Amino acid sequence: EDKVVQSPLSLVVHEGDTVTLNCSYEVTNFRSLLWYKQEKKAPTFLFMLTSSGIEKKSGRLSSILDKKELFSILNITATQTGDSAVYLCAVGSDRGAQKLVFGQGTRLTINP
Amino acid sequence: EPEVTQTPSHQVTQMGQEVILRCVPISNHLYFYWYRQILGQKVEFLVSFYNNEISEKSEIFDDQFSVERPDGSNFTLKIRSTKLEDSAMYFCASSEQGFGEQFFGPGTRLTVL
């Protein structure tokens, strides 16, 4: 059975800190790993990673994938209160229409 | 920026009733999905849909569930006879390609009494 595990489950930091969120996975016929930010309702797409070792970056957020060790990290530098959210990791496998398997999420709280 | 929309935002129904949840995917997307999230739990895959047929479905997606693309824009999820355990947030998503990033709608919160 495909599995995605995120850690930590919860993280509280001060504004300006840097955080690293972890995602490990076991999936048959891995195709891609996606990161989403979930604030109140819909998961909002952040990154999709398919290749090992290539960092994806968007502003203060960056992510990298290690297909050998089966994990990914999401880094957020100079955190702001608006970064407070649940961050979801999801993995897609090599099928015709991609089913995503989600982790349980990391709840990140940024205190001013 | 194009987005996935869903209606209604909240639906309350009695156990045993039929509900239809509606979604309008992003217009040039070809792959459509339904997921659900029970309060406090993971987002779970229900079904994927491409070229007017189901591509894959999960164990959750039993005979009580069905999906349809009745016209060129809407994508619906029907639950024939709702149970208490169907109470959840239901998300529709769409993607341009089968292996591309999926974009999620705001969700429909279904409450079964």
Side-chain angles (χ1 to χ4, degrees):
Chain A
E1 186 184 329
D2 297 343
K3 196 162 68 166
V4 178
V5 177
Q6 294 184 244
S7 63
L9 293 181
S10 179
L11 186 57
V12 181
V13 300
H14 289 291
E15 205 167 18
D17 288 352
T18 292
V19 298
T20 299
L21 310 183
N22 302 293
C23 175
S24 64
Y25 63 89
E26 293 172 28
V27 65
T28 307
N29 300 321
F30 172 87
R31 178 84 182 188
S32 59
L33 185 143
L34 295 85
W35 284 97
Y36 288 87
K37 178 182 182 181
Q38 187 176 28
E39 292 179 86
K40 294 218 160 110
K41 286 190 177 178
T44 305
F45 173 77
L46 295 174
F47 297 113
M48 185 170 82
L49 304 151
T50 55
S51 301
S52 255
I54 298 173
E55 185 182 52
K56 291 226 172 170
K57 203 167 164 64
S58 176
R60 296 176 294 103
L61 277 67
S62 63
S63 183
I64 198 160
L65 174 67
D66 185 329
K67 287 166 76 172
K68 187 178 171 195
E69 300 297 328
L70 308 182
F71 79 91
S72 173
I73 60 171
L74 174 69
N75 278 321
I76 309 175
T77 59
T79 51
Q80 302 170 358
T81 54
D83 294 327
S84 295
V86 175
Y87 289 83
L88 301 173
C89 174
V91 173
S93 62
D94 199 1
R95 293 189 174 97
Q98 191 183 37
K99 154 191 165 183
L100 293 179
V101 176
F102 281 82
Q104 70 274 54
T106 293
R107 181 172 294 280
L108 177 63
T109 304
I110 311 296
N111 287 328
Chain B
E1 189 175 322
E3 56 183 24
V4 177
T5 59
Q6 290 185 243
T7 53
S9 57
H10 191 190
Q11 172 114 31
V12 181
T13 190
Q14 296 290 327
M15 194 167 55
Q17 295 295 305
E18 174 183 287
V19 295
I20 297 176
L21 310 183
R22 299 178 197 282
C23 168
V24 179
I26 294 172
S27 62
N28 64 329
H29 286 188
L30 302 176
Y31 297 81
F32 314 118
Y33 314 84
W34 285 100
Y35 292 83
R36 78 171 186 191
Q37 187 175 31
I38 294 170
L39 191 63
Q41 297 187 24
K42 294 182 185 185
V43 176
E44 299 173 288
F45 169 80
L46 292 177
V47 66
S48 58
F49 190 87
Y50 169 70
N51 200 25
N52 277 320
E53 60 183 27
I54 289 173
S55 303
E56 189 173 357
K57 58 184 180 179
S58 71
E59 290 173 359
I60 303 166
F61 195 88
D62 62 21
D63 292 345
Q64 294 301 311
F65 290 85
S66 62
V67 289
E68 196 179 28
R69 186 150 163 86
D71 54 44
S73 58
N74 289 285
F75 180 51
T76 61
L77 174 70
K78 183 195 290 188
I79 310 175
R80 266 180 267 284
S81 177
T82 49
K83 307 186 192 83
L84 296 175
E85 54 265 37
D86 293 327
S87 294
M89 181 74 91
Y90 287 80
F91 292 110
C92 173
S94 69
S95 64
E96 193 173 356
Q97 299 163 16
F99 302 112
E101 50 266 39
Q102 294 180 23
F103 294 91
F104 282 72
T108 293
R109 179 163 296 286
L110 177 66
T111 302
V112 182
L113 303 175

